[in-house]
Amino acid sequence: MIDRQTYTFSRADGLLAAAASGDPAVVADIARRDLRFAADGVDAAEVCGVLLRGGGHTPFAEDNPWNVSHDQDLTEMLARIWAPVAAELPEFVGRLSREVMGLVLVRVEGEYRLGYIAFKPSYRSTTRAPSTVTDLPSVAPEGRLHWFWGGPPEELDTVGSGSTAYVLPPPVRTLASVHASLTAPTAEWAMGTGSLDVFVGDSLREQFAQWRETDEDDEDDDTEYAYGDDDFSDYDNYRLLASYEPGMQWSILVPPGADGRCLVSTFDHQDLNVFATAPFWEWFDDIATDILFGSA
């Protein structure tokens, strides 16, 4: 049995230990380190504000696009940031207020991002996030913290131009007004408007071309691919919304239903199977929320 009071933080629990210290400088160091080793290859990040639940804080840069400041309560700050989607995602916004233990504002290559420090219970644990970061050591054996990141908001109607131009559905525009991109680095999951100007068919053609080229360079690999470029034409009406690399899955925007609602499907981009189609907000509340909070 683990003695909670003498629990020793492992290296993997570094974020939890940093947050539990209540010291924003320690958390800022962790944020810079984690961004540096993130999948998007960030070389340097400037921390421009930290707010910990029941812990310390540092001032937020006044020109941040969410217009938040350190003198706000964390729950109030989260509610303000996510106000545009609160009516559509009440459960998600509720989880933010319960399970996010801190916010970190960073600037990378002139662009602001918000880092959310979220509590994740251990497998089958019913432990809840504590009310303050200083109470984290008491729940450490049954949970840990992880990051998810949100890019700057964007007011977008259309992405791309010419033949690849795409008019964003209303739910996507609304979410983009909070964060135009969301990433969960430890889950290898990312979503955003940046890929919506690309047809899924074109992404598949590129992917399979790379696989063929790699296999041709490997003399011991006798894999034969049955797909040609024309086989991907059925996917030229789909747009890539999010990718989940461990499951070889994409979340794609498909043509709207008869009621005009924006629909998202899960797509296995190895076996080319489309399944689990749902309206956008249902998809976000189910799949995206679980990934962001480490429940998937």
Side-chain angles (χ1 to χ4, degrees), residues 14-23 26-27 52 55 101 117 133-134 136 145:
L15 177 58
L16 194 149
S21 74
D23 187 341
V26 177
V27 172
L52 301 175
M101 304 302 296
I117 304 174
V133 291
T134 53
L136 282 167
L145 300 181

Side-chain angles (χ1 to χ4, degrees), residues 145-175:
L145 300 181
H146 73 282
W147 294 100
F148 67 86
W149 294 89
E154 294 181 359
E155 300 294 335
L156 292 172
D157 293 320
T158 305
V159 295
S161 60
S163 62
T164 63
Y166 180 65
V167 177
L168 281 102
V172 179
R173 289 202 303 269
T174 302
L175 182 61

Side-chain angles (χ1 to χ4, degrees), residues 51-257:
L51 178 61
L52 301 175
R53 189 178 297 279
H57 64 263
T58 59
F60 277 57
E62 293 183 357
D63 62 343
N64 75 82
W66 298 276
N67 296 315
V68 292
S69 62
H70 67 279
D71 57 359
Q72 294 173 314
D73 171 80
L74 180 60
T75 299
E76 176 189 355
M77 182 184 290
L78 292 166
R80 177 172 182 173
I81 293 168
W82 288 89
V85 303
E88 303 291 350
L89 298 172
E91 292 185 14
F92 174 78
V93 174
R95 287 190 69 172
L96 288 170
S97 67
R98 294 191 305 271
E99 299 178 29
V100 170
M101 304 302 296
L103 272 178
V104 178
L105 176 70
V106 302
R107 185 162 47 212
V108 179
E109 298 177 350
E111 180 180 274
Y112 282 113
R113 302 184 193 182
L114 274 177
Y116 296 79
I117 304 174
F119 181 78
K120 174 185 177 181
S122 299
Y123 181 60
R124 292 186 176 178
S125 172
T126 59
T127 300
R128 300 290 186 90
S131 57
T132 68
V133 291
T134 53
D135 290 332
L136 282 167
S138 67
V139 299
E142 281 82 36
R144 61 177 50 186
L145 300 181
H146 73 282
W147 294 100
F148 67 86
W149 294 89
E154 294 181 359
E155 300 294 335
L156 292 172
D157 293 320
T158 305
V159 295
S161 60
S163 62
T164 63
Y166 180 65
V167 177
L168 281 102
V172 179
R173 289 202 303 269
T174 302
L175 182 61
S177 72
V178 178
H179 290 300
S181 64
L182 287 164
T183 59
T186 55
E188 298 182 67
W189 181 89
M191 70 162 288
T193 58
S195 59
L196 289 176
D197 61 344
V198 177
F199 296 117
V200 169
D202 288 340
S203 295
L204 291 171
R205 293 181 186 98
E206 181 180 351
Q207 171 182 280
F208 276 82
Q210 291 174 347
W211 287 356
R212 289 192 194 98
E213 183 178 345
T214 299
D215 292 339
E216 287 171 0
D217 293 337
D218 186 351
E219 297 179 356
D220 296 326
D221 193 323
D222 57 0
T223 303
E224 294 185 7
Y225 293 99
Y227 300 109
D229 286 351
D230 291 341
D231 294 310
F232 304 122
S233 59
D234 289 344
Y235 306 100
D236 284 338
N237 287 329
Y238 302 159
R239 302 284 178 147
L240 176 61
L241 175 66
S243 62
Y244 178 54
E245 292 309 317
M248 297 289 286
Q249 293 177 350
W250 294 340
S251 293
I252 59 176
L253 292 176
V254 300

